[in-house]
Amino acid sequence: MPNLRELHMTYGIGGLFPEFLGNLRSLRVLDSSFNSLVGPLPTFHGKVTHVDLSSNNLNWSVLESLGRLRSLQVLNLSRNNFAGPISTFLANLTSLALSSNKLNGSIPESIGRLSFY
């Protein structure tokens, strides 16, 4: 699968994120929504631009992994178990979805320039 650009693995996958994801150097879009995934993402060696991790059991521990995705533009983390303040890492995106989490605290000023969906 060295030329795979989009991967949609949704509905019913549980456990840790598969390590093989990091080896997909051409991957640009990852949709792992509506699963029961936990833990950090593997280290990606490509230029992933869109990630949808909505409707999982994720918490802020996944953000360290996401922070290494320098090309990331669109991120959907809706309907997870995120609690507490919003990370400033998220302010570098062009589109962000965080609905149905347990967020609190102040919103980073730079988030005001994002588009929401």
Side-chain angles (χ1 to χ4, degrees):
M1 296 187 290
N3 297 318
L4 188 66
R5 296 183 58 85
E6 291 191 26
L7 178 60
H8 301 270
M9 48 182 218
T10 60
Y11 292 98
I13 299 170
L16 296 173
F17 284 92
E19 284 297 319
F20 78 86
L21 295 176
N23 297 326
L24 301 174
R25 295 186 183 276
S26 297
L27 190 66
R28 300 295 179 264
V29 176
L30 173 63
D31 180 357
S32 289
S33 56
F34 297 95
N35 288 305
S36 296
L37 295 167
V38 296
L41 290 170
T43 300
F44 287 93
H45 299 287
K47 294 184 178 180
V48 177
T49 59
H50 292 67
V51 173
D52 185 346
L53 301 175
S54 61
S55 298
N56 276 283
N57 292 315
L58 301 172
N59 58 39
W60 289 123
S61 66
V62 76
L63 283 187
E64 181 181 336
S65 307
L66 291 169
R68 293 189 297 257
L69 299 177
R70 301 291 178 221
S71 299
L72 188 61
Q73 298 171 352
V74 177
L75 179 61
N76 186 347
L77 297 175
S78 299
R79 298 175 304 278
N80 276 288
N81 292 317
F82 294 107
I86 298 172
S87 171
T88 55
F89 147 74
L90 299 175
N92 297 323
L93 302 169
T94 59
S95 182
L96 173 65
L98 291 172
S99 63
S100 299
N101 283 290
K102 297 174 184 149
L103 302 171
N104 64 31
S106 60
I107 298 172
E109 191 173 307
S110 54
I111 285 190
R113 73 176 192 275
L114 298 176
S115 63
F116 290 83
Y117 64 96

